[in-house]
Amino acid sequence: MAAPIAALPNEDVENDDQYDDVSYTTSIASSITDYKFEHGRRYHAYKEGRYLLPNDEAEQDRMDLQYHALRLAFGDKMIFAPVSEKLGRVLDAGTGTGPQLMQTIKADAYPDAEVFRLRSSPSKKLALTNSQIYGIDLSPIQSRFSAPNVKYQVDDLEQPWTFPLDHFDYVHTRILYGSLRDWPLFFAQSFKHLRPGGHLECQEIAVDARADDGTLPADSAITAWCRNQEEAMQKAGGMTLLATGEKLKAMMEEAGFVDVVAKEFKIPIGQWPADEKMRETGTLQLVAMLEGIGGLTMALWTRFLGWEREDVEDELAKVRAEWQRKDIHSYWPAYVYAVYGRKPLEGKTG
């Protein structure tokens, strides 16, 4: 279990009261980018309603802040699986804004990686020297300026994959809880399309905010928000936000992966940690939540819990206020799990 995070005295915690929800909209002309708008936020068009969070610039900013918070919490190590330095084909499943895995692979010096980014919307290219990265997502929100070895594809990860069997050296996901309805199917398809000896790595967050020192009351607005998020996801299609490393590990082993490892981390929310790097992590996570919580919440609560927009906004104001309090030492979201496993060398598909 990850160790508790030491807190600063309340008087030493800086105030952050300037944050408020921001929304931006952009559009790209194509059938797949004929976006849908709801409550002032933009949502994907391809397989409309499949993914329940916005894809506008405000949400992209939140995703990038979340990535940087994870990077700091992970100690700048974004790949934990023992992959070869001569990494070949890489699949970034649910690639989001795109740059994260690119930066990871460059930073870890995998010049031979070929990365394909599966996004849940249309396709564009990006690249790395002698490698190929594939990215898949439902939204075409990735940068137009990409390296030649990186390819984006708009597709649904829960449909049959079109890649060859035994094809990838490494499959990577980050924060897909709340996106995938059928994790065993995802693990089975990853296993089929990884080459023998290849690795799958999933980095997931549990939406279950906690405080080790008892400073987050059971009746807090933050706790109620987490509970409502999970209820809405369940009603939206049986999805869950309560990731656990052991649960992911068990499903990967059931799919055939071996040498599966689950690592635990904590991401603080706010400037309360005594450790300087953890305080920087918490500041990034705080900004991501204060500015991004509207997009995380509005569609879920209005569509599946029957809330009115004004009532959602009133409740979110309470959640934001609690997260800015110096005396609440919450970490978000409970634990971060980096789970990775290897396809056996004798596990060739077909």
Side-chain angles (χ1 to χ4, degrees), residues 268-285:
I269 311 169
Q271 297 180 310
W272 58 265
D275 178 80
E276 184 177 353
K277 182 164 253 188
M278 292 301 285
R279 188 159 61 250
E280 183 181 358
T281 304
T283 300
L284 286 169
Q285 186 61 64

Side-chain angles (χ1 to χ4, degrees), residues 254-266:
E254 180 68 23
F257 289 94
V258 298
D259 302 330
V260 181
V261 175
K263 293 181 175 289
E264 295 183 5
F265 301 84
K266 295 180 180 180

Side-chain angles (χ1 to χ4, degrees), residues 144-155:
R144 295 170 181 264
F145 303 101
S146 1
N149 302 14
V150 181
K151 298 178 180 178
Y152 290 120
Q153 177 176 318
V154 179
D155 210 342

Side-chain angles (χ1 to χ4, degrees), residues 310-326:
E310 295 74 16
D311 295 331
V312 175
E313 290 173 344
D314 288 345
E315 189 65 22
L316 294 188
K318 299 174 188 176
V319 178
R320 289 189 183 96
E322 286 190 355
W323 261 324
Q324 292 179 86
R325 283 172 50 180
K326 300 176 181 180

Side-chain angles (χ1 to χ4, degrees), residues 191-247:
F191 190 87
K192 284 169 55 179
H193 293 276
L194 276 166
R195 65 166 180 79
H199 288 83
L200 166 66
E201 180 165 351
C202 301
Q203 299 172 359
E204 293 299 326
I205 290 179
V207 181
D208 185 19
R210 300 179 189 177
D212 291 327
D213 56 5
T215 56
L216 183 65
D219 61 352
S220 69
I222 293 171
T223 301
W225 180 79
C226 295
R227 186 170 57 247
N228 286 340
Q229 287 291 99
E230 176 66 11
E231 180 184 353
M233 278 293 180
Q234 290 285 344
K235 290 183 176 180
M239 293 178 286
T240 182
L241 297 170
L242 301 178
T244 70
E246 290 307 309
K247 183 176 180 180

Side-chain angles (χ1 to χ4, degrees), residues 121-242:
S121 311
S123 79
K124 287 173 185 124
K125 280 186 183 179
L126 232 146
L128 290 179
T129 41
N130 301 322
S131 39
Q132 186 71 51
I133 302 177
Y134 297 84
I136 292 182
D137 202 276
L138 285 172
S139 289
I141 58 174
Q142 298 74 31
S143 171
R144 295 170 181 264
F145 303 101
S146 1
N149 302 14
V150 181
K151 298 178 180 178
Y152 290 120
Q153 177 176 318
V154 179
D155 210 342
D156 185 345
L157 287 170
E158 295 185 277
Q159 294 299 311
W161 293 6
T162 57
F163 304 111
L165 301 178
D166 304 313
H167 187 65
F168 292 106
D169 296 280
Y170 178 65
V171 175
H172 170 276
T173 76
R174 184 174 296 143
I175 312 180
L176 286 188
Y177 261 73
S179 300
L180 290 181
R181 289 163 171 80
D182 192 340
W183 279 90
L185 172 64
F186 172 75
F187 289 138
Q189 296 213 85
S190 297
F191 190 87
K192 284 169 55 179
H193 293 276
L194 276 166
R195 65 166 180 79
H199 288 83
L200 166 66
E201 180 165 351
C202 301
Q203 299 172 359
E204 293 299 326
I205 290 179
V207 181
D208 185 19
R210 300 179 189 177
D212 291 327
D213 56 5
T215 56
L216 183 65
D219 61 352
S220 69
I222 293 171
T223 301
W225 180 79
C226 295
R227 186 170 57 247
N228 286 340
Q229 287 291 99
E230 176 66 11
E231 180 184 353
M233 278 293 180
Q234 290 285 344
K235 290 183 176 180
M239 293 178 286
T240 182
L241 297 170
L242 301 178

